[in-house]
Amino acid sequence: HNKLLLSISVLFFIIGTIYCLNNDPINMELIHKPNLRNRIQEFLKTTDLTLPEFAKITPILGNETRIGEYYIEFYVGTPPQRFTAQIDTGSSDLAIPDIECGKPCGFHIDNRYNPNNSSSSNVIGCKPPSPIECPKCSISHDCGYEITYADNSGYSATVYTENMTLAGLPIKEQYFGSITSESIDYGYQFEPIPVDGIVGVAYPELSEIYAPTLFDNVISDNNLIDAFSMCLIPNGGQLSIGASSTPSWGNSTFVYTPIVYKLWYTVYMADIQVYGSSIGVNPDVYNKGGTIVDSGTTLVYIPRSAFKALETSFENNCKNNPLVGVCNTRYSIFDDYCVSLTASQFNAYPNINIVLGQNDPITLTMTPSQYLVKGYCNDPESYSIAIESGGGNASGVILGIAFMQQYEVIFDRANSQLGFSPLTTFNDCS
């Protein structure tokens, strides 16, 4: 009898504590057990005790130079089969190679998707009413699409839904493309050998079939915060799904800038600074074509006029800082030449500051370790610059992997903002 009263009292204390953390204190009078039971039952009926989910963390594989991209693993079908896919914040479609795609799909470590081996596989028809947009319709009336990326690579695919698992989180009826053919650029296959396909995680309006992305569904199906973060270092990194406002790796904070256009993760770019001074380019040059943060692009691309202004800013300081590879040479890193540098010559290079935001700007630093990279030269120990000249003044800016490295970047879709927090330990996301 006394044990029952004690158990109920403890339960009531716990419930009252949880409730008071989020509400005004409640005054309850412990009278006798029947009344207490009734009050607990009424309380449980009217109070939501669901606690927020914590972020789910999964490794990011790959690297900037040897593979040229970063990728994650996930599982598809019933029973589940392992696949890997490049994680791309600059697109919104998920695709993996189909069993029927032979030589055009290149060689990959994992098996290809075979719908006949999965009890949860469902091919999407293109006859109305179709639940998605169907750009192509096959002879058998299956929905399909084609996509071409900025590097001229691409693929054709048939659309299915499947049950999937990412970071241990289940996803029901995820739309994806089962690749039936690939377009190959310069003799390279669409994805390198360790990577099977691509997972686009921008906004669903960018999808060729206007379908929710893998991240849209993993977040909604598992009641997570609508945000994810990526930490990229030269070899690997980590992905946090349902990320919070606290960096997953330490006691630091994010600085935020608004997402100004919800198709890609587009931000406002205000300036580029070297040696503490602006390179003198009007912000319209950066923003007419949009400035996006894109994990699917290796380098940083800026309009030609901005690239020339950046080069001039380096050259104008040659008297004070005669950089090897920039000053007193016919073979500048700004002309796509590689340069051999000693440690002291490397450390003489200045930081480049990227200023984002219009009303409350934030300044993010690219150190020489981010914009001077090995792996693109005949000599593996030589350096090249990871910033490239793009198109004209309306071509926009792509802040790719070289920019994202050494930060945890949170794609906070719930609050329409991107956050950046520098790593407290160099090359360490843990």
Side-chain angles (χ1 to χ4, degrees):
H1 193 75
N2 290 333
K3 288 181 180 179
L4 175 61
L5 180 59
L6 177 61
S7 298
I8 294 174
S9 299
V10 170
L11 173 63
F12 193 77
F13 173 79
I14 294 171
I15 293 172
T17 302
I18 295 173
Y19 186 85
C20 290
L21 289 174
N22 300 289
N23 299 274
D24 293 329
I26 51 176
N27 296 315
M28 291 195 174
E29 188 178 4
L30 297 179
I31 303 175
H32 53 79
K33 287 177 289 184
N35 186 48
L36 180 58
R37 289 196 193 99
N38 291 339
R39 297 181 78 161
I40 291 175
Q41 289 171 355
E42 289 302 314
F43 178 79
L44 293 175
K45 287 179 183 178
T46 58
T47 304
D48 182 10
L49 296 180
T50 302
L51 298 178
E53 292 280 356
F54 291 102
K56 302 296 182 179
I57 298 175
T58 191
I60 293 176
L61 309 172
N63 51 68
E64 180 183 3
T65 53
R66 293 196 308 275
I67 296 178
E69 60 188 50
Y70 290 86
Y71 59 98
I72 56 174
E73 69 172 22
F74 59 105
Y75 292 84
V76 178
T78 309
Q81 179 183 332
R82 177 188 182 270
F83 286 94
T84 59
Q86 177 188 13
I87 181 168
D88 181 15
T89 61
S91 68
S92 298
D93 291 287
L94 167 61
I96 52 178
D98 189 89
I99 189 67
E100 298 297 328
C101 188
K103 189 175 180 180
C105 280
F107 175 74
H108 299 282
I109 294 174
D110 296 306
N111 292 324
R112 301 183 183 194
Y113 175 68
N114 188 344
N116 296 324
N117 290 345
S118 174
S119 61
S120 52
S121 175
N122 180 43
V123 65
I124 301 300
C126 53
K127 284 185 175 181
S130 176
I132 57 171
E133 184 78 18
C134 285
K136 290 178 60 180
C137 192
S138 70
I139 296 175
S140 56
H141 302 290
D142 295 335
C143 180
Y145 68 94
E146 296 179 353
I147 188 169
T148 301
Y149 298 94
D151 61 358
N152 293 321
S153 66
Y155 62 85
S156 299
T158 301
V159 181
Y160 288 82
T161 60
E162 261 289 15
N163 293 341
M164 300 188 182
T165 303
L166 173 62
L169 299 168
I171 305 115
K172 295 288 187 182
E173 299 182 351
Q174 173 64 47
Y175 287 98
F176 73 102
S178 191
I179 299 173
T180 54
S181 66
E182 295 179 354
S183 57
I184 303 173
D185 194 31
Y186 302 112
Y188 295 98
Q189 60 187 51
F190 175 61
E191 294 290 353
I193 290 173
V195 186
D196 300 313
I198 187 169
V199 52
V201 294
Y203 286 93
E205 291 79 8
L206 189 60
S207 165
E208 294 293 313
I209 56 176
Y210 294 92
T213 69
L214 182 69
F215 281 19
D216 290 327
N217 284 335
V218 74
I219 286 168
S220 63
D221 287 2
N222 294 278
N223 192 32
L224 300 174
I225 297 169
D226 190 10
F228 64 93
S229 72
M230 297 173 63
C231 174
L232 303 179
I233 55 178
N235 287 291
Q238 70 180 26
L239 167 70
S240 298
I241 305 168
S244 68
S245 59
T246 302
S248 58
W249 45 262
N251 297 319
S252 186
T253 56
F254 287 102
V255 291
Y256 290 94
T257 191
I259 298 171
V260 297
Y261 184 59
K262 295 180 182 180
L263 196 59
W264 299 272
Y265 295 103
T266 307
V267 296
Y268 182 89
M269 184 162 168
D271 200 7
I272 297 176
Q273 300 170 349
V274 182
Y275 294 109
S277 298
S278 171
I279 65 171
V281 173
N282 190 303
D284 287 347
V285 172
Y286 305 124
N287 296 292
K288 276 188 177 178
T291 294
I292 68 171
V293 178
D294 180 13
S295 66
T297 298
T298 307
L299 306 179
V300 171
Y301 290 86
I302 59 178
R304 282 191 297 268
S305 61
F307 186 81
K308 184 61 180 175
L310 179 64
E311 179 183 10
T312 300
S313 294
F314 271 72
E315 293 173 344
N316 286 345
N317 278 274
C318 282
K319 185 176 180 180
N320 298 322
N321 190 11
L323 297 172
V324 175
V326 175
C327 305
N328 303 315
T329 180
R330 293 174 55 191
Y331 307 106
S332 171
I333 59 171
F334 289 97
D335 296 319
D336 282 336
Y337 284 101
C338 297
V339 60
S340 179
L341 299 171
T342 66
S344 61
Q345 290 168 344
F346 179 91
N347 292 331
Y349 273 77
N351 292 336
I352 298 175
N353 290 332
I354 307 295
V355 183
L356 301 180
Q358 193 165 15
N359 296 323
D360 295 303
I362 61 174
T363 299
L364 305 171
T365 298
M366 287 187 71
T367 66
S369 296
Q370 289 171 268
Y371 72 82
L372 294 177
V373 293
K374 295 179 179 179
Y376 296 105
C377 306
N378 292 331
D379 176 5
E381 294 303 311
S382 291
Y383 294 91
S384 60
I385 190 167
I387 303 172
E388 290 281 346
S389 173
N393 286 348
S395 61
V397 174
I398 301 176
L399 300 175
I401 290 169
F403 168 77
M404 295 175 66
Q405 282 189 350
Q406 306 306 331
Y407 287 96
E408 182 170 5
V409 183
I410 182 170
F411 297 79
D412 183 2
R413 305 187 301 184
N415 296 297
S416 300
Q417 60 185 359
L418 297 188
F420 301 85
S421 185
L423 302 188
T424 54
T425 303
F426 185 71
N427 287 347
D428 187 2
C429 291
S430 61

